[in-house]
Amino acid sequence: MIYKNTYCEFSRKEIVIQYSYSSYIIDKLVSVINYYWQISKYKNDELPLNEKGSSPTWSSVSDIGNTYNGKIFLKSDYLIVEEFFIRAIQAFMNCANTNKLIVNQLEKPLKLEGIEASLLKAGFSLEESKEMLEFFKEVEKGMTIGLSEVKLITQLALREYVWTQLQSESLFVRFDYDYFVDIGSTIRCEDAVKQVREMNLSINLWDELYPFKVEL
């Protein structure tokens, strides 16, 4: 779903009438996170959801080497987009005035050996991936991470080596699959939104109540 590019706020009354969330979750949503955005790499004609979209495009690090619209998708192409996502999250961290996030949720569907095999197949050397692989072994739920570690967990999540949800008192980051990232903030991060668009990523404000559980 592509969400409208219009800011909106939800009052307690509106949320109680329309949804049956517990009062605890409602209190948290109303008092803490007021705005949610979804960031993706896709343009309207590239959207991969439900196989819609007229323009074929990549949606996984494993697509490196494939051809789309007559052009080979290179590792260098992938790294550019990955770096944009890292910078986008950092822009929202700056807006929310936070330099640390808590790993609130974490799943590791692959073992280290599987990740190494995936990296080699995609054209990455284990040496250039050493820092990320070491962090994979160390990261755990409840850990507090700084900016440099946010970069590493973003790499792991975008490459689908982990699934994670990050948070602080003023920011929320949820990694979905296929290069969709949800971000929530206590304030309107208009400058961060502008920066994301300048990176040629798509960003849209949710125009309805955020559907996933947020525990702050």
Side-chain angles (χ1 to χ4, degrees):
M1 181 181 293
I2 291 296
Y3 297 96
K4 294 179 182 178
N5 231 352
T6 306
Y7 287 110
C8 55
E9 299 180 48
F10 296 96
S11 69
R12 176 186 293 273
K13 181 178 180 181
E14 288 169 336
I15 295 176
V16 171
I17 290 174
Q18 296 180 35
Y19 301 92
S20 59
Y21 278 74
S22 70
S23 60
Y24 172 79
I25 296 300
I26 290 173
D27 285 341
K28 292 297 183 182
L29 285 168
V30 173
S31 62
V32 180
I33 300 295
N34 301 310
Y35 307 97
Y36 290 92
W37 298 265
Q38 186 174 77
I39 300 174
S40 81
K41 63 170 283 290
Y42 306 103
K43 305 306 176 188
N44 287 342
D45 62 342
E46 296 180 331
L47 223 61
L49 295 183
N50 302 318
E51 300 182 353
K52 293 181 179 179
S54 60
S55 180
T57 186
W58 63 274
S59 60
S60 171
V61 67
S62 63
D63 291 331
I64 292 174
N66 293 343
T67 299
Y68 300 95
N69 300 311
K71 183 180 178 182
I72 298 176
F73 176 52
L74 303 174
K75 183 178 84 169
S76 58
D77 299 323
Y78 173 84
L79 289 173
I80 289 171
V81 176
E82 186 176 80
E83 180 63 25
F84 284 161
F85 273 96
I86 293 167
R87 287 166 51 188
I89 293 169
Q90 290 173 344
F92 275 93
M93 290 179 69
N94 290 336
C95 168
N97 195 30
T98 183
N99 57 12
K100 294 184 182 297
L101 294 172
I102 297 171
V103 181
N104 185 43
Q105 299 290 337
L106 180 68
E107 296 177 8
K108 294 182 177 181
L110 296 178
K111 294 184 178 180
L112 183 63
E113 294 79 7
I115 295 175
E116 291 176 342
S118 174
L119 288 168
L120 292 172
K121 185 177 180 180
F124 294 90
S125 72
L126 297 185
E127 182 61 31
E128 70 179 311
S129 308
K130 184 177 179 180
E131 188 178 13
M132 184 188 72
L133 292 171
E134 287 299 319
F135 181 70
F136 171 80
K137 292 187 287 186
E138 297 171 1
V139 65
E140 58 185 24
K141 182 178 178 180
M143 178 183 288
T144 298
I145 59 176
L147 285 171
S148 61
E149 296 159 318
V150 167
K151 175 180 179 178
L152 296 173
I153 204 166
T154 299
Q155 291 175 326
L156 288 167
L158 291 178
R159 300 180 193 188
E160 299 182 356
Y161 300 150
V162 304
W163 176 85
T164 188
Q165 185 171 293
L166 312 174
Q167 69 178 57
S168 70
E169 292 183 355
S170 56
L171 191 69
F172 160 82
V173 181
R174 183 181 194 274
F175 291 89
D176 292 320
Y177 293 108
D178 296 329
Y179 297 85
F180 287 90
V181 176
D182 299 341
I183 294 186
S185 175
T186 56
I187 59 176
R188 295 184 179 185
C189 291
E190 294 177 338
D191 186 59
V193 171
K194 180 181 178 182
Q195 291 180 54
V196 171
R197 292 205 176 103
E198 289 174 348
M199 298 175 202
N200 205 31
L201 296 176
S202 296
I203 180 168
N204 296 278
L205 190 82
W206 288 83
D207 60 356
E208 56 191 52
L209 186 66
Y210 188 68
F212 301 108
K213 183 178 180 180
V214 181
E215 293 182 349
L216 296 173

